[in-house]
Amino acid sequence: AEARWLSGESAPTARFASSSDAAAWSLEVLARLTLEEQPGRLVDLFLRGAGLPFDAGERRRLRLRAAEFADKDQTIAIYEQLFTEDPTDPFATERLEALYRAEGKRAELLVLRERQIAVADSPARRVELRHELACLLADAGEASQALTALRENLDQAPGHAPSAEKFAELLEAGALYPELAAHCEDQAARAAADGQDIAAAALFGR
């Protein structure tokens, strides 16, 4: 009987413009009944519904509904699938990042950020995301990889202040003094050229 509901066979199809509209109506009715009688089955119901030939927006909506009732592992899996399908989806990305942070999934968070960098829609956004990646790498004790990411940022955007500051911080922490001196001199010259004399003096002094 449930299969007939999900396929829309039990819906009064004359009231709907298409079989998919009838199936959507049937699914909502079945969801209300399931919520009252067997709320634990809602995740499976919505995910099965998302497998029906709805349009992409409706399938996404059904998976988001499933995530509302899922346990943590199921929720993460749902948002991972949504992110894989569309890594520019801001809601799925935000929720997935929050879940990774809450569960201490640092490796997964790094992969998430790398994927975001790959599909970023502008150079400025890539620089911003790469700086965030470098901070995550530094926090994970991967200073060498963090420095590599920051070097790439400074090659593409030499004036990106957060990257420049983090780069100097990591060079100093790693006692990489010749590169730190060269970096500070370069940043000081840029500050002086922009009329930022106080900042330039501080960088030269560093």
Side-chain angles (χ1 to χ4, degrees):
E2 184 176 311
R4 293 182 63 227
W5 274 98
L6 285 172
S7 66
E9 292 178 23
S10 298
T13 54
R15 294 171 46 191
F16 301 99
S18 67
S19 59
S20 63
D21 288 343
W25 178 86
S26 298
L27 182 62
E28 287 302 320
V29 172
L30 188 55
R32 288 196 293 271
L33 294 173
T34 303
L35 180 60
E36 294 174 1
E37 300 174 5
Q38 295 177 296
R41 295 188 60 197
L42 278 171
V43 175
D44 179 64
L45 176 65
F46 285 127
L47 290 179
R48 288 173 61 196
L52 295 174
F54 293 121
D55 61 38
E58 180 64 9
R59 290 196 301 272
R60 177 181 182 276
R61 187 188 73 82
L62 289 169
R63 281 183 284 180
L64 291 176
R65 290 289 302 279
E68 294 175 15
F69 300 96
D71 61 30
K72 286 182 181 179
D73 289 341
Q74 289 176 313
T75 302
I76 288 173
I78 290 168
Y79 283 116
E80 284 177 336
Q81 186 178 33
L82 289 170
F83 177 78
T84 298
E85 292 175 3
D86 181 9
T88 65
D89 182 334
F91 182 77
T93 302
E94 180 181 334
R95 291 295 300 131
L96 189 54
E97 180 172 343
L99 287 163
Y100 282 162
R101 290 184 182 278
E103 296 300 305
K105 293 181 176 291
R106 181 170 288 163
E108 289 84 349
L109 185 56
L110 292 172
V111 172
L112 174 74
R113 195 65 82 236
E114 288 171 349
R115 179 65 175 141
Q116 286 182 282
I117 293 169
V119 301
D121 59 2
S122 70
R125 180 60 176 156
R126 280 193 293 276
V127 167
E128 178 185 351
L129 289 166
R130 197 178 290 113
H131 170 258
E132 292 176 8
L133 174 64
C135 292
L136 289 171
L137 287 166
D139 290 343
E142 300 290 348
S144 177
Q145 293 183 48
L147 286 168
T148 297
L150 291 168
R151 287 188 186 97
E152 188 172 356
N153 257 12
L154 293 171
D155 284 343
Q156 295 181 10
H160 188 249
S163 291
E165 182 60 32
K166 190 66 177 179
F167 190 58
E169 175 189 320
L170 292 176
L171 290 174
E172 188 169 9
L176 300 173
Y177 298 121
E179 188 173 4
L180 174 63
H183 170 67
C184 288
E185 288 176 7
D186 177 71
Q187 291 296 309
R190 291 180 184 281
D194 290 339
Q196 302 175 30
D197 294 337
I198 294 177
L203 285 164
F204 275 124
R206 186 170 185 173

